[in-house]
Amino acid sequence: MNRRRRIYDGKAKILYEGPEPGTIIQHFKDDATAFNAKKHEIIDGKGVLNNRISEFIFQSLNEIGLPTHFIRRLNMREQLVRQVEIIPLEVVVRNIAAGSLAKRLGMEEGRRLPRPIIEFYYKKDELDDPMVTEDHILAFGWASFQELEDITSLAFRINDFLTGLFRGVGILLVDFKIETGRIWEDDESHVVLADEISPDSCRLWDAKTQDKLDKDRFRRDMGGLIEAYSEVARRLGILLDNDTASFGDSGPQLVPDPETTHDPRGNSVGRKPE
Ligand code: UDP
C-alpha cells in the first residue's frame, strides 16, 4: 500500500516524500525514547495525540503570523509540512527551573527564573546533543548571525504565545524545545519553526497540583503518559471532555476536525471537497 519514499526514520517520527516538490509528510509514531534512545517503549496512542496537539499549536502560530513549516494535517498520524533545511540546533526556552538546568546549576525544580532563558544544543546524537554557545554556532557556521537573531526572536515569541495559551487552561509552561529550518526562495532563505511542539518536547505542569503532563512521566517511570497527554489535549479542546482516555483498539477519540474527514482509527485521509 505504501509506495511513498521514506526520507528519514527518527526516534518518534518518520518523514516521507510529500505529494508535491518542496513538501514532506511527517508521520508520528508511538515510540517513546529518552536519554538518547537508551530508554525506549511503544506507547499506544501517543503519536495520534502528538500529531493533534502539534497541529493545534503550529496552526495557531501560523494564524498569528509566526512562520512554521506546517501546511495541514492529513490524518490521525500524519501532517503535510514544507520541506526545510534543518538548522542543526535544539533551541530550549525555560521559564521555570527543571531538568538539566536544575541539575547543572544545583537549583530546585520549580523555581521561577528571573526571566525566560534560551539555550542552544548542537544536534548530534553521537555526542548526546551538547550545549553550545552562540559563538560556537557562528564560528562553525551552523547558523548565520541574522539567523541566530531570527531564531532567538521566534523562540521568545513562541514562548509568549504558548505561556498564555497554556496558562488559560490551567497549565504552566516550564520549558520547551524547538527546531528550526531554512526555506529557500530564489537566492534568499528565511527561518521557520519545524519539527513538532507537543508534550514530548515541552514540560507542562498542572498549575494547581504541579502534576506533570509531559514526557517526564516516561523519563522518570511515573506511568500515566497517555492520560497526561490526553488531559493536555482535552484542555486545549482537541479531545472530547467525556473521553476517559481508555483508547482500546480504536485509538483516542478526538474531536472531529471540520476540515478533514477520518475514521476513528485514523487510517483514512482526506480533505473534504471545498
Ligand atoms: N527536550 C527535547 N528533546 C531533547 C532534549 C530536551 O524535547 O532531546 C525538551 C524537554 O522535553 C524539556 C526541554 O527540552 O521540555 C529542556 O530539557 P532539558 O535540557 O531539561 O533536558 P532533560 O532534562 O530532558 O534531559
Side-chain angles (χ1 to χ4, degrees):
M1 171 202 130
N2 209 336
R3 273 179 283 110
R4 297 177 302 187
R5 196 167 73 85
R6 188 182 294 223
I7 300 173
Y8 175 77
D9 199 343
K11 288 178 233 162
K13 292 192 290 294
I14 305 173
L15 302 182
Y16 295 100
E17 204 168 63
E20 291 124 37
T23 64
I24 298 255
I25 293 169
Q26 192 165 254
H27 176 107
F28 288 74
K29 303 195 279 191
D30 283 337
D31 299 60
T33 63
F35 315 117
N36 201 4
K38 288 177 202 83
K39 183 174 161 92
H40 177 240
E41 237 174 77
I42 306 286
I43 303 184
D44 283 347
K46 182 175 82 78
V48 172
L49 284 160
N50 280 351
N51 185 27
R52 284 298 288 263
I53 294 170
S54 197
E55 171 202 17
F56 179 83
I57 292 174
F58 275 64
Q59 192 70 61
S60 307
L61 293 171
N62 280 344
E63 278 163 19
I64 62 164
L66 297 188
T68 84
H69 73 162
F70 182 83
I71 302 173
R72 67 171 186 272
R73 184 168 58 81
L74 296 172
N75 58 47
M76 294 289 266
R77 285 192 181 273
E78 295 180 330
Q79 43 185 250
L80 184 68
V81 301
R82 294 181 71 181
Q83 184 163 28
V84 303
E85 195 178 288
I86 284 286
I87 296 172
L89 297 173
E90 301 208 334
V91 181
V92 169
V93 179
R94 302 177 184 274
N95 299 303
I96 295 174
S100 70
L101 175 116
K103 201 169 165 193
R104 203 168 45 242
L105 301 183
M107 230 173 241
E108 199 188 335
E109 282 212 323
R111 174 164 154 192
R112 183 157 284 282
L113 300 170
R115 61 170 177 78
I117 289 174
I118 192 165
E119 294 170 350
F120 300 98
Y121 295 82
Y122 179 45
K123 257 171 81 73
K124 198 81 177 163
D125 279 344
E126 306 91 280
L127 301 174
D128 279 347
D129 299 344
M131 193 194 232
V132 291
T133 66
E134 300 198 9
D135 216 26
H136 293 128
I137 297 167
L138 297 176
F140 297 122
W142 296 324
S144 69
F145 181 81
Q146 186 57 53
E147 285 173 337
L148 208 44
E149 295 261 299
D150 293 345
I151 293 169
T152 303
S153 119
L154 184 62
F156 281 131
R157 290 171 75 192
I158 292 170
N159 185 47
D160 285 345
F161 175 78
L162 290 183
T163 298
L165 174 76
F166 284 119
R167 199 68 190 87
V169 296
I171 293 175
L172 297 177
L173 177 65
V174 173
D175 55 34
F176 65 95
K177 183 265 306 185
I178 57 168
E179 295 186 27
T180 57
R182 284 180 198 103
I183 290 189
W184 287 91
E185 261 146 24
D186 301 321
D187 277 346
E188 294 201 353
S189 71
H190 64 275
V191 168
V192 303
L193 176 68
D195 194 48
E196 69 176 286
I197 298 182
S198 72
D200 267 8
S201 58
C202 301
R203 280 200 173 89
L204 303 169
W205 293 354
D206 182 275
K208 276 206 191 110
T209 63
Q210 316 280 297
D211 272 357
K212 295 186 196 311
L213 303 173
D214 56 58
K215 202 166 113 179
D216 272 348
R217 300 205 74 89
F218 169 71
R219 292 191 192 98
R220 302 181 187 189
D221 293 319
M222 300 168 77
L225 180 131
I226 287 295
E227 289 76 4
Y229 285 30
S230 301
E231 181 61 22
V232 173
R234 193 176 296 117
R235 293 202 199 172
L236 292 175
I238 301 167
L239 189 67
L240 294 172
D241 276 346
N242 56 4
D243 194 280
T244 55
S246 53
F247 300 143
D249 294 336
S250 60
Q253 305 299 301
L254 294 155
V255 175
D257 181 338
E259 287 291 299
T260 56
T261 52
H262 52 75
D263 75 28
R265 285 165 306 281
N267 295 328
S268 70
V269 187
R271 206 168 158 74
K272 271 190 185 154
E274 303 290 340

